Amino acid sequence: MKKLKQSKESLNCKELSYSEYRCDKCRDLTFIIDDGVAFPCECRAVREADDILKKSGVSFEFRKKRFDNFNYDYDVQTVSAYGKAINYVKDFKSIEGSCNNSIIFMGQVGSGKTHLSLAIANELMDDGVGVLYMSYRDVITRVKQNIMDEVYYHRVMNRYKNARVLLIDDLFKGKLSSSDINIMFEIVNYRYFNNLPVVVSTEKGFEELIDIDEAVGSRLVEMCSGRLVEIKGKRLNYRIYG
């Protein structure tokens, strides 16, 4: 009997110390009712930030890409690209709904364009803005492999079309087919006409983007006017258009 009594007491202690809720204050409702009035619980912002990160597709490693650990010492003109990225984040809320609400980093491997793109994404997500990461080559390959599955195709495409902010990493990397271009046109065209921002990194230059597909290239140019940063040559020379 004594052992049984101890077991019950031990079980009761465990039940009292264990909470099935992530937030005991609101019991996971994300709001608290006080005298008939509902107020947002302090856990709501944390939950929203967690949801944004989970849906972003940004890996833990990419979350480390920040403005404060970006190396702009290897070329004096890197400061221009860094400044453009910083200003984009500062201006984002005021330009988000306009047709000129995007930014693109163009140029060679190792120039820091992906780092700056991810730094922008991380800052926006920290501020509660949903950003969806799209690894161009991986996504295009998967979409083409499942292009006959209409349910899959529309579900995936709608995700990239409708994200609040879409980060396209390494746009048009590798050998291109007409299918690649058509898929990207569908995404970019939708976002262009609905004033949905894109943050783009690509090894292609300004003229190359237009040559690959004028419709895609011209829309990106208009969306990113004043924030087209092209990195060229061994000295990593930057040309800022607009």
Side-chain angles (χ1 to χ4, degrees):
M1 289 292 293
K2 187 176 181 181
K3 286 185 177 179
L4 181 60
K5 185 178 180 181
Q6 287 177 338
S7 297
K8 287 182 177 178
E9 288 175 351
S10 176
L11 180 60
N12 287 337
C13 288
K14 287 181 180 178
E15 287 175 346
L16 288 171
S17 63
Y18 172 76
S19 173
E20 59 183 302
Y21 302 109
R22 289 173 60 187
C23 178
D24 290 326
K25 288 184 179 181
C26 68
R27 297 192 174 189
D28 292 346
L29 294 174
T30 71
F31 60 87
I32 298 171
I33 298 177
D34 183 15
D35 197 23
V37 180
F39 297 93
C41 180
E42 61 187 31
C43 75
R44 178 184 285 257
V46 176
R47 295 287 188 87
E48 289 175 348
D50 286 344
D51 288 342
I52 285 170
L53 184 56
K54 286 176 184 176
K55 294 174 182 177
S56 71
V58 175
S59 69
F60 176 74
E61 192 63 32
F62 279 0
R63 282 288 284 169
K64 297 178 183 177
K65 304 293 186 183
R66 299 282 180 165
F67 288 125
D68 59 10
N69 60 22
F70 177 70
N71 179 17
Y72 49 78
D73 294 333
Y74 48 82
D75 189 276
V76 66
Q77 294 187 46
T78 316
V79 178
S80 297
Y82 178 82
K84 284 283 180 179
I86 289 281
N87 288 333
Y88 179 75
V89 172
K90 289 179 180 178
D91 297 338
F92 180 78
K93 292 291 178 68
S94 64
I95 66 172
E96 181 181 4
S98 71
C99 59
N100 177 215
N101 56 13
S102 304
I103 187 168
I104 184 169
F105 300 94
M106 304 171 285
Q108 65 195 64
V109 175
S111 58
K113 58 188 184 298
T114 293
H115 188 135
L116 287 175
S117 299
L118 287 165
I120 289 172
N122 285 322
E123 288 289 327
L124 291 178
M125 286 191 291
D126 287 348
D127 197 30
V129 177
V131 180
L132 179 61
Y133 176 79
M134 176 183 178
S135 176
Y136 166 77
R137 194 72 256 161
D138 293 340
V139 170
I140 287 293
T141 299
R142 286 199 303 271
V143 169
K144 288 195 297 185
Q145 287 172 344
N146 295 277
I147 203 163
M148 300 305 292
D149 184 340
E150 289 189 18
V151 174
Y152 174 90
Y153 181 84
H154 289 299
R155 175 168 56 82
V156 171
M157 291 295 284
N158 284 336
R159 187 175 180 226
Y160 294 111
K161 284 182 186 178
N162 291 293
R164 182 171 176 183
V165 179
L166 179 63
L167 194 168
I168 307 172
D169 193 23
D170 274 333
L171 175 65
F172 291 143
K173 186 177 180 68
K175 187 176 181 180
L176 299 175
S177 69
S178 58
S179 294
D180 300 339
I181 296 170
N182 290 337
I183 290 168
M184 285 314 304
F185 173 77
E186 186 175 340
I187 293 171
V188 171
N189 189 58
Y190 182 90
R191 299 188 68 84
Y192 170 80
F193 280 109
N194 289 278
N195 292 339
L196 293 170
V198 293
V199 177
V200 182
S201 76
T202 178
E203 293 175 13
K204 305 302 181 185
F206 172 73
E207 292 83 4
E208 287 178 284
L209 287 175
I210 300 296
D211 288 342
I212 288 170
D213 188 77
E214 188 173 355
V216 173
S218 62
R219 281 162 175 72
L220 287 176
V221 168
E222 185 174 342
M223 294 168 76
C224 302
S225 179
R227 290 179 294 273
L228 290 99
V229 184
E230 187 170 5
I231 309 164
K232 297 187 71 176
K234 294 181 180 179
R235 292 289 300 169
L236 302 180
N237 292 318
Y238 283 71
R239 287 190 287 159
I240 313 297
Y241 290 90

